[in-house]
Amino acid sequence: MLAARLRLVLVFVACLAWAQCLAKDAAHLDTVRVQVSRLDLRAGDAYNVSCSFDKLISLQALCEGDGIDSIYMQTRRNANLSVRILNATTVYHEQLSAQPKHLGAYSYECLCHGQTLGSARFMVGVRLQVQDFGCRFHGEEAGGQLNCSFSRPPYSRQVDMTTSYWLRHRDKELECRAHSANAELMHCSIGHTDFDRFADFYDLTLSMRDRLPLQPLQQQHFRLSRAQCIQLLPAGTNATVTHLNSTALCLAWRDSDGSNHIGYHIDWKMQLLPAELTGWRWQQPHLQQHNSIWQETCLTHLPYPYYNYTLLLWRRYNDSDAHWSEPFEYTFRTMAALPARPPAVWPTGYHRNPQQPDELRVYWQQLGKLEQNGPLFDYHVHVLRASDDQHVKQAETAIESNMAIIRNLEPSKESYIVVIHSRNAIGLSTNNSQLRIPELVQPGKRIPRNVNRSKMAGSLSWEPPEQSDDLLGYTVYWCSTNVTDRSHCNETLAIESMELLLPTSCYYGNARLRLDAYEWGVSANYGPHSTGSGGIYWLEWHYGTLLLSPNPSAKVDWMHNLQGIVALVVLGVFIYMIVRKFRTMSDIDVVLPVGVDSCPPQQQGEQGERDQLQLREQLLPPSKRPEQLPPSIMAETSIGADCALLVQLPAVLHGNFKPLNVMLPQTGYVPIQLASRTEALPAAELGSVPLKQPASARVDFASSYIRMQPRQTPPDTAYVTPPRAYR
């Protein structure tokens, strides 16, 4: 007990000493002051933060006897701040340019040997320096407002959410509001009664108010001219077309507000869409010579006929700070014109199939959309004899976008000239392209042989044609594959080509050679002293021939054709088996066993009752058969047996029919004999009743019983199991 009391006394003394030490330190800490040089700091201001002690003894007590040189300062951002010693009890940190920060961003701390002796928090506000202040009003609206806008100073919302902005004009001051879609954008509106829209200048003062002291005030003064504030209405309203053709447009409109702009020069700005168009010229709006209130503007040298253009037009007063009006927008289409040119053709850009001697295919490079110059664009092809320039009347042409198929040309030693025009709703192109087709006799001697493409090497190779006199070189053709018809090039893309000189007989370096999305062909080019080229040889691919080859020695890859035939045969066999299976299943029928039939209607009368009684007696063993019973007992027995059978013999459901486990031979009619109520048979004895009866025992079947009647010969071996007991 004494020891415990001693321990309590020691703990009390220790706590008292510790409390005295804390009180002593607290007393010394109260003498430490950390303070900023000014409280109205804003971005860019210079300031200093000092740490001072009231007494030197307090400094030494807190720093374990050390002096002022052991004091340093920190912030949460910068671990070590540069400090200067002012005297034996004061140090300070100097900041040349303040950065905006809110009150709780960070604090300045005064430390000694890692122990914080004091700290100070203060706010650095933003400075009102608006660069994008501007005002506008619509010059034609008598009751319009003067709407001014500007952007908040950077970091103003982060530093102080309570910052507000006020705009003063004359003696009227109003608060500005943030834009609904952009909180950084401020709007101020001055009512039409508080400003004069015809004044030469507008003096406006913008001020900012936040948590810092109001002095000095954060204000900016703006003086804006009327030209800087007014926004003109769009020009060209209710414009009418005064001139329009395939390359030019002129618009005119009534300048109804021209009297309001006397003494001001109007600047114009125009944009023509699509923006990539070049070469056009624009005449700025001007007053018509014969009418001083109508203005007119024109666009000339427009590059494309029958083309949709969009004209955008702005105007403003001649001041670099003036506001542009809202754009006047006018969309138009130039008039149609004849096609710009005929399609480009190659001297060897044709193909003849020897298996169809009267057919010739001619190829060209189709025109682009911008060159068609009108609606209903297509091509016109006709054939002339080279000898007399007479039209070949029997020639039939089927024209597509990049080729024509000419039929009914007679194979002969005569040359033909194919004339090709571009055509639209206005008419045929002024110029035409002509393609000379040499004699159609044996053209296969004037085409390259053994053309082969290597996808792995990315090359196309061939051998010279059989007739090589005056041979100059070759032309390689390629086009995008038409996935629906391999005998045609893709009509939406132009056919491309490359001309090669002798002795070259190989083409490589084209990445398309490694792809299966292009068709390839080669033609031989001859000089003027030869008969002429045999046309293009189109390369055959593993999908089959692109066109029937003019080279008789060309080999056809039949493997893929055979694979297709085998696949069709297998599919046909499979369909046949399925159909046969369904037909077999449709012939399945449910056949009831012999003797199972629906019950006939109940027989009526005394003869029916006697027949029922006789049938029931046949089911009893001979020893149990009654010799003769009174009629009353027989009737009672018949009624009881009927009730018993109605209970023991439920209707047979065909869907749940189950045959006997043991098959029994058919024996014709089976009479059934029932005992009377007084001589009911046990179930065991009933099972021993013989089923086979003499043929002379013939009875009519009573109603409400199962009919055992044979239906076919030879008979089935499935029967309904009769009940084993009757009650």
Side-chain angles (χ1 to χ4, degrees), residues 135 137 142-148 167-175 188-199 201-204:
C135 299
F137 66 91
Q145 295 179 333
L146 179 64
N147 297 309
C148 301
L167 182 65
R168 176 180 291 276
H169 175 60
R170 296 178 179 174
D171 297 331
K172 184 74 171 182
E173 186 178 40
L174 53 94
E175 185 177 4
C188 321
S189 297
I190 300 176
H192 68 281
T193 59
D194 297 323
F195 83 101
D196 181 7
R197 64 190 186 98
F198 292 104
F201 294 95
Y202 302 96
D203 293 312
L204 303 162

PDB file of all heavy atoms in Angstrom, residues 135 137 142-148 167-175 188-199 201-204:
ATOM      1  N   CYS A 135     -18.206  46.679 -76.257  1.00  0.00           N
ATOM      2  CA  CYS A 135     -19.650  46.884 -76.204  1.00  0.00           C
ATOM      3  C   CYS A 135     -20.188  46.955 -77.619  1.00  0.00           C
ATOM      4  O   CYS A 135     -19.475  47.318 -78.566  1.00  0.00           O
ATOM      5  CB  CYS A 135     -19.992  48.178 -75.451  1.00  0.00           C
ATOM      6  SG  CYS A 135     -19.434  48.202 -73.729  1.00  0.00           S
ATOM      7  N   PHE A 137     -24.145  47.513 -79.939  1.00  0.00           N
ATOM      8  CA  PHE A 137     -25.592  47.636 -80.052  1.00  0.00           C
ATOM      9  C   PHE A 137     -25.937  47.589 -81.537  1.00  0.00           C
ATOM     10  O   PHE A 137     -25.113  47.916 -82.404  1.00  0.00           O
ATOM     11  CB  PHE A 137     -26.096  48.938 -79.405  1.00  0.00           C
ATOM     12  CG  PHE A 137     -25.641  50.186 -80.116  1.00  0.00           C
ATOM     13  CD1 PHE A 137     -26.398  50.766 -81.121  1.00  0.00           C
ATOM     14  CD2 PHE A 137     -24.439  50.799 -79.760  1.00  0.00           C
ATOM     15  CE1 PHE A 137     -25.972  51.918 -81.766  1.00  0.00           C
ATOM     16  CE2 PHE A 137     -24.004  51.947 -80.398  1.00  0.00           C
ATOM     17  CZ  PHE A 137     -24.770  52.509 -81.409  1.00  0.00           C
ATOM     18  N   ALA A 142     -34.092  50.780 -82.497  1.00  0.00           N
ATOM     19  CA  ALA A 142     -34.240  52.003 -81.698  1.00  0.00           C
ATOM     20  C   ALA A 142     -34.315  51.683 -80.212  1.00  0.00           C
ATOM     21  O   ALA A 142     -33.874  52.464 -79.375  1.00  0.00           O
ATOM     22  CB  ALA A 142     -35.487  52.775 -82.149  1.00  0.00           C
ATOM     23  N   GLY A 143     -34.860  50.547 -79.838  1.00  0.00           N
ATOM     24  CA  GLY A 143     -34.995  50.196 -78.428  1.00  0.00           C
ATOM     25  C   GLY A 143     -33.979  49.186 -77.967  1.00  0.00           C
ATOM     26  O   GLY A 143     -34.201  48.502 -76.962  1.00  0.00           O
ATOM     27  N   GLY A 144     -32.867  49.096 -78.677  1.00  0.00           N
ATOM     28  CA  GLY A 144     -31.862  48.104 -78.317  1.00  0.00           C
ATOM     29  C   GLY A 144     -31.030  48.511 -77.120  1.00  0.00           C
ATOM     30  O   GLY A 144     -30.964  49.684 -76.730  1.00  0.00           O
ATOM     31  N   GLN A 145     -30.377  47.548 -76.496  1.00  0.00           N
ATOM     32  CA  GLN A 145     -29.526  47.780 -75.343  1.00  0.00           C
ATOM     33  C   GLN A 145     -28.073  47.882 -75.769  1.00  0.00           C
ATOM     34  O   GLN A 145     -27.677  47.424 -76.853  1.00  0.00           O
ATOM     35  CB  GLN A 145     -29.677  46.642 -74.334  1.00  0.00           C
ATOM     36  CG  GLN A 145     -31.052  46.537 -73.697  1.00  0.00           C
ATOM     37  CD  GLN A 145     -31.126  45.376 -72.721  1.00  0.00           C
ATOM     38  OE1 GLN A 145     -30.417  44.388 -72.851  1.00  0.00           O
ATOM     39  NE2 GLN A 145     -31.986  45.502 -71.724  1.00  0.00           N
ATOM     40  N   LEU A 146     -27.276  48.472 -74.899  1.00  0.00           N
ATOM     41  CA  LEU A 146     -25.831  48.481 -75.070  1.00  0.00           C
ATOM     42  C   LEU A 146     -25.278  47.307 -74.272  1.00  0.00           C
ATOM     43  O   LEU A 146     -25.280  47.317 -73.032  1.00  0.00           O
ATOM     44  CB  LEU A 146     -25.243  49.805 -74.578  1.00  0.00           C
ATOM     45  CG  LEU A 146     -23.717  49.925 -74.694  1.00  0.00           C
ATOM     46  CD1 LEU A 146     -23.278  49.895 -76.145  1.00  0.00           C
ATOM     47  CD2 LEU A 146     -23.229  51.205 -74.008  1.00  0.00           C
ATOM     48  N   ASN A 147     -24.821  46.288 -74.955  1.00  0.00           N
ATOM     49  CA  ASN A 147     -24.351  45.058 -74.331  1.00  0.00           C
ATOM     50  C   ASN A 147     -22.833  45.046 -74.317  1.00  0.00           C
ATOM     51  O   ASN A 147     -22.195  45.134 -75.378  1.00  0.00           O
ATOM     52  CB  ASN A 147     -24.875  43.833 -75.092  1.00  0.00           C
ATOM     53  CG  ASN A 147     -26.379  43.747 -75.062  1.00  0.00           C
ATOM     54  OD1 ASN A 147     -26.998  43.831 -74.008  1.00  0.00           O
ATOM     55  ND2 ASN A 147     -26.991  43.608 -76.242  1.00  0.00           N
ATOM     56  N   CYS A 148     -22.281  44.957 -73.105  1.00  0.00           N
ATOM     57  CA  CYS A 148     -20.833  44.923 -72.940  1.00  0.00           C
ATOM     58  C   CYS A 148     -20.422  43.563 -72.385  1.00  0.00           C
ATOM     59  O   CYS A 148     -21.182  42.925 -71.650  1.00  0.00           O
ATOM     60  CB  CYS A 148     -20.361  46.029 -71.992  1.00  0.00           C
ATOM     61  SG  CYS A 148     -20.811  47.697 -72.546  1.00  0.00           S
ATOM     62  N   LEU A 167     -20.423  47.946 -63.679  1.00  0.00           N
ATOM     63  CA  LEU A 167     -20.181  48.835 -64.815  1.00  0.00           C
ATOM     64  C   LEU A 167     -21.000  50.115 -64.622  1.00  0.00           C
ATOM     65  O   LEU A 167     -22.195  50.059 -64.325  1.00  0.00           O
ATOM     66  CB  LEU A 167     -20.580  48.151 -66.132  1.00  0.00           C
ATOM     67  CG  LEU A 167     -20.332  48.958 -67.403  1.00  0.00           C
ATOM     68  CD1 LEU A 167     -18.834  49.189 -67.612  1.00  0.00           C
ATOM     69  CD2 LEU A 167     -20.932  48.250 -68.625  1.00  0.00           C
ATOM     70  N   ARG A 168     -20.303  51.260 -64.813  1.00  0.00           N
ATOM     71  CA  ARG A 168     -20.961  52.563 -64.648  1.00  0.00           C
ATOM     72  C   ARG A 168     -20.908  53.321 -65.975  1.00  0.00           C
ATOM     73  O   ARG A 168     -19.850  53.378 -66.634  1.00  0.00           O
ATOM     74  CB  ARG A 168     -20.275  53.370 -63.562  1.00  0.00           C
ATOM     75  CG  ARG A 168     -20.838  54.796 -63.393  1.00  0.00           C
ATOM     76  CD  ARG A 168     -20.090  55.531 -62.289  1.00  0.00           C
ATOM     77  NE  ARG A 168     -20.379  54.958 -60.992  1.00  0.00           N
ATOM     78  CZ  ARG A 168     -21.437  55.261 -60.242  1.00  0.00           C
ATOM     79  NH1 ARG A 168     -22.319  56.145 -60.671  1.00  0.00           N
ATOM     80  NH2 ARG A 168     -21.605  54.696 -59.065  1.00  0.00           N
ATOM     81  N   HIS A 169     -22.079  53.856 -66.369  1.00  0.00           N
ATOM     82  CA  HIS A 169     -22.179  54.759 -67.528  1.00  0.00           C
ATOM     83  C   HIS A 169     -23.027  55.950 -67.107  1.00  0.00           C
ATOM     84  O   HIS A 169     -24.168  55.789 -66.652  1.00  0.00           O
ATOM     85  CB  HIS A 169     -22.801  54.038 -68.722  1.00  0.00           C
ATOM     86  CG  HIS A 169     -23.047  54.944 -69.890  1.00  0.00           C
ATOM     87  ND1 HIS A 169     -22.033  55.630 -70.526  1.00  0.00           N
ATOM     88  CD2 HIS A 169     -24.204  55.281 -70.543  1.00  0.00           C
ATOM     89  CE1 HIS A 169     -22.539  56.331 -71.510  1.00  0.00           C
ATOM     90  NE2 HIS A 169     -23.860  56.151 -71.546  1.00  0.00           N
ATOM     91  N   ARG A 170     -22.433  57.134 -67.245  1.00  0.00           N
ATOM     92  CA  ARG A 170     -23.056  58.347 -66.721  1.00  0.00           C
ATOM     93  C   ARG A 170     -23.271  58.174 -65.218  1.00  0.00           C
ATOM     94  O   ARG A 170     -22.329  57.911 -64.480  1.00  0.00           O
ATOM     95  CB  ARG A 170     -24.350  58.651 -67.462  1.00  0.00           C
ATOM     96  CG  ARG A 170     -24.174  58.979 -68.947  1.00  0.00           C
ATOM     97  CD  ARG A 170     -25.520  59.229 -69.625  1.00  0.00           C
ATOM     98  NE  ARG A 170     -25.355  59.572 -71.026  1.00  0.00           N
ATOM     99  CZ  ARG A 170     -26.363  59.726 -71.871  1.00  0.00           C
ATOM    100  NH1 ARG A 170     -27.622  59.598 -71.435  1.00  0.00           N
ATOM    101  NH2 ARG A 170     -26.146  60.031 -73.139  1.00  0.00           N
ATOM    102  N   ASP A 171     -24.490  58.281 -64.760  1.00  0.00           N
ATOM    103  CA  ASP A 171     -24.765  58.134 -63.332  1.00  0.00           C
ATOM    104  C   ASP A 171     -25.391  56.786 -63.000  1.00  0.00           C
ATOM    105  O   ASP A 171     -25.874  56.591 -61.873  1.00  0.00           O
ATOM    106  CB  ASP A 171     -25.706  59.266 -62.864  1.00  0.00           C
ATOM    107  CG  ASP A 171     -25.074  60.636 -63.023  1.00  0.00           C
ATOM    108  OD1 ASP A 171     -23.830  60.698 -62.942  1.00  0.00           O
ATOM    109  OD2 ASP A 171     -25.807  61.612 -63.256  1.00  0.00           O
ATOM    110  N   LYS A 172     -25.368  55.873 -63.945  1.00  0.00           N
ATOM    111  CA  LYS A 172     -26.021  54.577 -63.754  1.00  0.00           C
ATOM    112  C   LYS A 172     -24.960  53.498 -63.575  1.00  0.00           C
ATOM    113  O   LYS A 172     -24.043  53.368 -64.394  1.00  0.00           O
ATOM    114  CB  LYS A 172     -26.897  54.243 -64.970  1.00  0.00           C
ATOM    115  CG  LYS A 172     -27.701  52.968 -64.837  1.00  0.00           C
ATOM    116  CD  LYS A 172     -28.876  53.142 -63.891  1.00  0.00           C
ATOM    117  CE  LYS A 172     -29.788  51.933 -63.925  1.00  0.00           C
ATOM    118  NZ  LYS A 172     -30.961  52.079 -63.048  1.00  0.00           N
ATOM    119  N   GLU A 173     -25.058  52.754 -62.461  1.00  0.00           N
ATOM    120  CA  GLU A 173     -24.135  51.644 -62.207  1.00  0.00           C
ATOM    121  C   GLU A 173     -24.949  50.353 -62.069  1.00  0.00           C
ATOM    122  O   GLU A 173     -25.963  50.315 -61.372  1.00  0.00           O
ATOM    123  CB  GLU A 173     -23.310  51.885 -60.944  1.00  0.00           C
ATOM    124  CG  GLU A 173     -22.237  50.825 -60.728  1.00  0.00           C
ATOM    125  CD  GLU A 173     -21.387  51.097 -59.497  1.00  0.00           C
ATOM    126  OE1 GLU A 173     -21.970  51.528 -58.472  1.00  0.00           O
ATOM    127  OE2 GLU A 173     -20.162  50.884 -59.553  1.00  0.00           O
ATOM    128  N   LEU A 174     -24.478  49.317 -62.710  1.00  0.00           N
ATOM    129  CA  LEU A 174     -25.183  48.031 -62.665  1.00  0.00           C
ATOM    130  C   LEU A 174     -24.167  46.911 -62.534  1.00  0.00           C
ATOM    131  O   LEU A 174     -22.999  47.040 -62.921  1.00  0.00           O
ATOM    132  CB  LEU A 174     -26.052  47.844 -63.913  1.00  0.00           C
ATOM    133  CG  LEU A 174     -25.373  48.015 -65.275  1.00  0.00           C
ATOM    134  CD1 LEU A 174     -24.892  46.696 -65.820  1.00  0.00           C
ATOM    135  CD2 LEU A 174     -26.336  48.668 -66.261  1.00  0.00           C
ATOM    136  N   GLU A 175     -24.652  45.797 -61.973  1.00  0.00           N
ATOM    137  CA  GLU A 175     -23.780  44.642 -61.742  1.00  0.00           C
ATOM    138  C   GLU A 175     -23.752  43.758 -62.983  1.00  0.00           C
ATOM    139  O   GLU A 175     -24.765  43.545 -63.643  1.00  0.00           O
ATOM    140  CB  GLU A 175     -24.268  43.837 -60.540  1.00  0.00           C
ATOM    141  CG  GLU A 175     -23.330  42.690 -60.168  1.00  0.00           C
ATOM    142  CD  GLU A 175     -23.786  41.945 -58.929  1.00  0.00           C
ATOM    143  OE1 GLU A 175     -24.884  42.288 -58.410  1.00  0.00           O
ATOM    144  OE2 GLU A 175     -23.068  41.028 -58.481  1.00  0.00           O
ATOM    145  N   CYS A 188     -22.684  42.711 -69.241  1.00  0.00           N
ATOM    146  CA  CYS A 188     -23.346  43.853 -68.625  1.00  0.00           C
ATOM    147  C   CYS A 188     -24.224  44.504 -69.695  1.00  0.00           C
ATOM    148  O   CYS A 188     -23.780  44.682 -70.835  1.00  0.00           O
ATOM    149  CB  CYS A 188     -22.343  44.884 -68.107  1.00  0.00           C
ATOM    150  SG  CYS A 188     -20.867  44.161 -67.331  1.00  0.00           S
ATOM    151  N   SER A 189     -25.441  44.855 -69.334  1.00  0.00           N
ATOM    152  CA  SER A 189     -26.398  45.437 -70.284  1.00  0.00           C
ATOM    153  C   SER A 189     -26.906  46.771 -69.756  1.00  0.00           C
ATOM    154  O   SER A 189     -27.375  46.855 -68.618  1.00  0.00           O
ATOM    155  CB  SER A 189     -27.577  44.482 -70.525  1.00  0.00           C
ATOM    156  OG  SER A 189     -27.129  43.278 -71.120  1.00  0.00           O
ATOM    157  N   ILE A 190     -26.805  47.788 -70.599  1.00  0.00           N
ATOM    158  CA  ILE A 190     -27.299  49.122 -70.262  1.00  0.00           C
ATOM    159  C   ILE A 190     -28.549  49.380 -71.094  1.00  0.00           C
ATOM    160  O   ILE A 190     -28.539  49.221 -72.323  1.00  0.00           O
ATOM    161  CB  ILE A 190     -26.230  50.193 -70.553  1.00  0.00           C
ATOM    162  CG1 ILE A 190     -24.973  49.906 -69.703  1.00  0.00           C
ATOM    163  CG2 ILE A 190     -26.761  51.588 -70.269  1.00  0.00           C
ATOM    164  CD1 ILE A 190     -23.831  50.860 -69.989  1.00  0.00           C
ATOM    165  N   GLY A 191     -29.634  49.726 -70.448  1.00  0.00           N
ATOM    166  CA  GLY A 191     -30.897  49.934 -71.128  1.00  0.00           C
ATOM    167  C   GLY A 191     -30.852  51.060 -72.141  1.00  0.00           C
ATOM    168  O   GLY A 191     -29.995  51.959 -72.077  1.00  0.00           O
ATOM    169  N   HIS A 192     -31.776  51.015 -73.114  1.00  0.00           N
ATOM    170  CA  HIS A 192     -31.768  51.997 -74.199  1.00  0.00           C
ATOM    171  C   HIS A 192     -32.046  53.412 -73.702  1.00  0.00           C
ATOM    172  O   HIS A 192     -31.681  54.395 -74.363  1.00  0.00           O
ATOM    173  CB  HIS A 192     -32.809  51.603 -75.252  1.00  0.00           C
ATOM    174  CG  HIS A 192     -34.226  51.712 -74.772  1.00  0.00           C
ATOM    175  ND1 HIS A 192     -34.820  50.751 -73.975  1.00  0.00           N
ATOM    176  CD2 HIS A 192     -35.159  52.691 -74.952  1.00  0.00           C
ATOM    177  CE1 HIS A 192     -36.055  51.117 -73.703  1.00  0.00           C
ATOM    178  NE2 HIS A 192     -36.299  52.281 -74.268  1.00  0.00           N
ATOM    179  N   THR A 193     -32.661  53.533 -72.520  1.00  0.00           N
ATOM    180  CA  THR A 193     -32.939  54.875 -71.992  1.00  0.00           C
ATOM    181  C   THR A 193     -31.727  55.490 -71.304  1.00  0.00           C
ATOM    182  O   THR A 193     -31.739  56.685 -70.987  1.00  0.00           O
ATOM    183  CB  THR A 193     -34.108  54.810 -70.996  1.00  0.00           C
ATOM    184  OG1 THR A 193     -33.769  53.909 -69.927  1.00  0.00           O
ATOM    185  CG2 THR A 193     -35.373  54.312 -71.690  1.00  0.00           C
ATOM    186  N   ASP A 194     -30.678  54.680 -71.082  1.00  0.00           N
ATOM    187  CA  ASP A 194     -29.506  55.176 -70.353  1.00  0.00           C
ATOM    188  C   ASP A 194     -28.332  55.466 -71.259  1.00  0.00           C
ATOM    189  O   ASP A 194     -27.233  55.779 -70.779  1.00  0.00           O
ATOM    190  CB  ASP A 194     -29.093  54.160 -69.294  1.00  0.00           C
ATOM    191  CG  ASP A 194     -30.178  53.947 -68.243  1.00  0.00           C
ATOM    192  OD1 ASP A 194     -30.843  54.939 -67.896  1.00  0.00           O
ATOM    193  OD2 ASP A 194     -30.365  52.790 -67.794  1.00  0.00           O
ATOM    194  N   PHE A 195     -28.504  55.295 -72.581  1.00  0.00           N
ATOM    195  CA  PHE A 195     -27.407  55.660 -73.487  1.00  0.00           C
ATOM    196  C   PHE A 195     -28.019  56.169 -74.793  1.00  0.00           C
ATOM    197  O   PHE A 195     -29.163  55.856 -75.145  1.00  0.00           O
ATOM    198  CB  PHE A 195     -26.479  54.467 -73.743  1.00  0.00           C
ATOM    199  CG  PHE A 195     -26.964  53.530 -74.811  1.00  0.00           C
ATOM    200  CD1 PHE A 195     -26.430  53.569 -76.092  1.00  0.00           C
ATOM    201  CD2 PHE A 195     -27.968  52.601 -74.544  1.00  0.00           C
ATOM    202  CE1 PHE A 195     -26.876  52.718 -77.075  1.00  0.00           C
ATOM    203  CE2 PHE A 195     -28.412  51.747 -75.513  1.00  0.00           C
ATOM    204  CZ  PHE A 195     -27.870  51.798 -76.796  1.00  0.00           C
ATOM    205  N   ASP A 196     -27.233  56.971 -75.514  1.00  0.00           N
ATOM    206  CA  ASP A 196     -27.663  57.577 -76.774  1.00  0.00           C
ATOM    207  C   ASP A 196     -26.959  56.851 -77.915  1.00  0.00           C
ATOM    208  O   ASP A 196     -25.730  56.889 -78.031  1.00  0.00           O
ATOM    209  CB  ASP A 196     -27.296  59.064 -76.777  1.00  0.00           C
ATOM    210  CG  ASP A 196     -27.749  59.766 -78.058  1.00  0.00           C
ATOM    211  OD1 ASP A 196     -28.464  59.125 -78.864  1.00  0.00           O
ATOM    212  OD2 ASP A 196     -27.376  60.936 -78.245  1.00  0.00           O
ATOM    213  N   ARG A 197     -27.739  56.188 -78.761  1.00  0.00           N
ATOM    214  CA  ARG A 197     -27.114  55.381 -79.810  1.00  0.00           C
ATOM    215  C   ARG A 197     -26.528  56.228 -80.934  1.00  0.00           C
ATOM    216  O   ARG A 197     -25.838  55.690 -81.811  1.00  0.00           O
ATOM    217  CB  ARG A 197     -28.119  54.375 -80.393  1.00  0.00           C
ATOM    218  CG  ARG A 197     -29.300  54.964 -81.098  1.00  0.00           C
ATOM    219  CD  ARG A 197     -30.330  53.864 -81.394  1.00  0.00           C
ATOM    220  NE  ARG A 197     -31.436  54.326 -82.205  1.00  0.00           N
ATOM    221  CZ  ARG A 197     -31.523  54.151 -83.516  1.00  0.00           C
ATOM    222  NH1 ARG A 197     -30.547  53.512 -84.146  1.00  0.00           N
ATOM    223  NH2 ARG A 197     -32.557  54.593 -84.191  1.00  0.00           N
ATOM    224  N   PHE A 198     -26.763  57.518 -80.937  1.00  0.00           N
ATOM    225  CA  PHE A 198     -26.171  58.402 -81.937  1.00  0.00           C
ATOM    226  C   PHE A 198     -25.016  59.227 -81.362  1.00  0.00           C
ATOM    227  O   PHE A 198     -24.487  60.107 -82.042  1.00  0.00           O
ATOM    228  CB  PHE A 198     -27.232  59.341 -82.516  1.00  0.00           C
ATOM    229  CG  PHE A 198     -28.257  58.634 -83.348  1.00  0.00           C
ATOM    230  CD1 PHE A 198     -29.525  58.386 -82.840  1.00  0.00           C
ATOM    231  CD2 PHE A 198     -27.947  58.198 -84.623  1.00  0.00           C
ATOM    232  CE1 PHE A 198     -30.475  57.735 -83.601  1.00  0.00           C
ATOM    233  CE2 PHE A 198     -28.897  57.536 -85.386  1.00  0.00           C
ATOM    234  CZ  PHE A 198     -30.172  57.295 -84.875  1.00  0.00           C
ATOM    235  N   ALA A 199     -24.630  58.956 -80.116  1.00  0.00           N
ATOM    236  CA  ALA A 199     -23.506  59.686 -79.513  1.00  0.00           C
ATOM    237  C   ALA A 199     -22.205  59.291 -80.205  1.00  0.00           C
ATOM    238  O   ALA A 199     -22.054  58.178 -80.713  1.00  0.00           O
ATOM    239  CB  ALA A 199     -23.434  59.392 -78.026  1.00  0.00           C
ATOM    240  N   PHE A 201     -19.182  59.156 -78.625  1.00  0.00           N
ATOM    241  CA  PHE A 201     -18.355  58.352 -77.732  1.00  0.00           C
ATOM    242  C   PHE A 201     -19.192  57.904 -76.537  1.00  0.00           C
ATOM    243  O   PHE A 201     -20.198  58.538 -76.180  1.00  0.00           O
ATOM    244  CB  PHE A 201     -17.136  59.151 -77.232  1.00  0.00           C
ATOM    245  CG  PHE A 201     -16.162  59.511 -78.322  1.00  0.00           C
ATOM    246  CD1 PHE A 201     -16.234  60.750 -78.960  1.00  0.00           C
ATOM    247  CD2 PHE A 201     -15.180  58.607 -78.710  1.00  0.00           C
ATOM    248  CE1 PHE A 201     -15.348  61.080 -79.962  1.00  0.00           C
ATOM    249  CE2 PHE A 201     -14.285  58.938 -79.717  1.00  0.00           C
ATOM    250  CZ  PHE A 201     -14.367  60.172 -80.346  1.00  0.00           C
ATOM    251  N   TYR A 202     -18.708  56.825 -75.899  1.00  0.00           N
ATOM    252  CA  TYR A 202     -19.345  56.287 -74.694  1.00  0.00           C
ATOM    253  C   TYR A 202     -18.256  56.069 -73.650  1.00  0.00           C
ATOM    254  O   TYR A 202     -17.272  55.345 -73.903  1.00  0.00           O
ATOM    255  CB  TYR A 202     -20.054  54.966 -74.995  1.00  0.00           C
ATOM    256  CG  TYR A 202     -21.117  55.090 -76.072  1.00  0.00           C
ATOM    257  CD1 TYR A 202     -20.824  54.770 -77.397  1.00  0.00           C
ATOM    258  CD2 TYR A 202     -22.389  55.545 -75.761  1.00  0.00           C
ATOM    259  CE1 TYR A 202     -21.785  54.880 -78.383  1.00  0.00           C
ATOM    260  CE2 TYR A 202     -23.361  55.664 -76.748  1.00  0.00           C
ATOM    261  CZ  TYR A 202     -23.046  55.332 -78.058  1.00  0.00           C
ATOM    262  OH  TYR A 202     -24.001  55.468 -79.031  1.00  0.00           O
ATOM    263  N   ASP A 203     -18.399  56.752 -72.476  1.00  0.00           N
ATOM    264  CA  ASP A 203     -17.450  56.625 -71.371  1.00  0.00           C
ATOM    265  C   ASP A 203     -18.001  55.608 -70.371  1.00  0.00           C
ATOM    266  O   ASP A 203     -19.103  55.788 -69.819  1.00  0.00           O
ATOM    267  CB  ASP A 203     -17.225  57.974 -70.689  1.00  0.00           C
ATOM    268  CG  ASP A 203     -16.502  58.958 -71.604  1.00  0.00           C
ATOM    269  OD1 ASP A 203     -15.489  58.540 -72.199  1.00  0.00           O
ATOM    270  OD2 ASP A 203     -16.970  60.110 -71.745  1.00  0.00           O
ATOM    271  N   LEU A 204     -17.208  54.564 -70.089  1.00  0.00           N
ATOM    272  CA  LEU A 204     -17.624  53.452 -69.237  1.00  0.00           C
ATOM    273  C   LEU A 204     -16.548  53.177 -68.207  1.00  0.00           C
ATOM    274  O   LEU A 204     -15.343  53.281 -68.495  1.00  0.00           O
ATOM    275  CB  LEU A 204     -17.882  52.196 -70.073  1.00  0.00           C
ATOM    276  CG  LEU A 204     -18.926  52.346 -71.199  1.00  0.00           C
ATOM    277  CD1 LEU A 204     -18.791  51.226 -72.199  1.00  0.00           C
ATOM    278  CD2 LEU A 204     -20.328  52.376 -70.614  1.00  0.00           C
TER     279      LEU A 204
END
